[in-house]
Amino acid sequence: CEYHAYEPVPDFYQQLEANWQEKKTKEGVAKINFTAHNYGIDSSDTKLKTSTKALKGEGSYLGDTIDADKDIVNLQIKSFSNVLKEASGKIPILFNVNCEGCEWEMLPNLLTSASQAKLFRSIPIIQFGTHNYGKNLGQRAWELCKIREQLSESHRMVFGVAFGWERWVKK
């Protein structure tokens, strides 16, 4: 079994690596094949910028404003297909997303992108959290309905709570 974590925020990535090393030492979980990657996933390769202000606390929302040119954090994002190439083309069994707001762009992109949708829809289990960041609740509810409609073409919902967690399995 392999476990891959994708974290584009450098400080969060370093904490993830440190937490894993500590867990391996204390709990003897060295048999688990864990790899952390210092980039995020979307439908295309890109670079994003955010501010240190947006990264305070345990979560972040990249839609927060960036203050001038100081305290900028650069984030690398790779396309889902490129991530799979790096993983020898292996389709993950579970794709779990908790990205504090990025789901509103990432999921529709992966579900509709001509080069990504077939690969993404082949994942047996897709699980994600939704957050009400950046827009009014009515707009986010409409966007969630669109994601559910697109995902229902290839998967069925096992459980789901709006602005909570959803799990979908391949039909």
Side-chain angles (χ1 to χ4, degrees):
C1 179
E2 295 179 25
Y3 181 84
H4 293 263
Y6 300 89
E7 177 53 67
V9 179
D11 288 349
F12 295 173
Y13 168 78
Q14 289 172 357
Q15 186 62 52
L16 176 66
E17 283 280 2
N19 289 350
W20 180 253
Q21 292 305 319
E22 181 180 332
K23 192 169 206 58
K24 279 175 44 177
T25 303
K26 286 183 178 178
E27 299 176 26
V29 292
K31 294 178 184 174
I32 296 174
N33 187 356
F34 174 81
T35 307
H37 304 272
N38 192 200
Y39 54 84
I41 300 174
D42 204 338
S43 61
S44 62
D45 292 344
T46 190
K47 295 193 184 291
L48 300 175
K49 291 183 179 193
T50 191
S51 70
T52 54
K53 175 185 168 188
L55 300 175
K56 298 291 183 207
E58 294 183 15
S60 61
Y61 172 59
L62 298 182
D64 290 341
T65 58
I66 297 176
D67 297 329
D69 286 335
K70 63 179 187 169
D71 299 327
I72 299 295
V73 178
N74 293 303
L75 310 176
Q76 181 181 4
I77 308 297
K78 291 188 178 184
S79 73
F80 185 65
S81 61
N82 284 340
V83 169
L84 288 183
K85 285 177 193 170
E86 290 178 7
S88 303
K90 291 189 246 177
I91 300 293
I93 294 169
L94 169 67
F95 188 82
N96 183 59
V97 178
N98 186 16
C99 59
E100 304 302 322
C102 79
E103 68 274 6
W104 299 112
E105 292 180 20
M106 181 188 63
L107 291 171
N109 288 348
L110 290 173
L111 287 163
T112 61
S113 167
S115 63
Q116 309 293 311
K118 184 176 180 183
L119 290 171
F120 187 69
R121 290 173 186 272
S122 67
I123 299 170
I125 304 168
I126 298 173
Q127 183 170 288
F128 57 91
T130 51
H131 305 82
N132 185 26
Y133 291 133
K135 294 184 181 179
N136 69 48
L137 185 59
Q139 178 68 27
R140 288 298 188 210
W142 181 85
E143 291 172 353
L144 180 57
C145 287
K146 291 296 289 179
I147 290 169
R148 287 175 171 176
E149 179 183 355
Q150 292 166 340
L151 198 48
S152 70
E153 294 173 13
S154 55
H155 289 70
R156 67 175 176 78
M157 185 189 293
V158 176
F159 65 81
V161 177
F163 310 113
W165 281 97
E166 298 194 10
R167 175 176 279 190
W168 293 72
V169 295
K170 187 120 176 77
K171 289 181 180 178

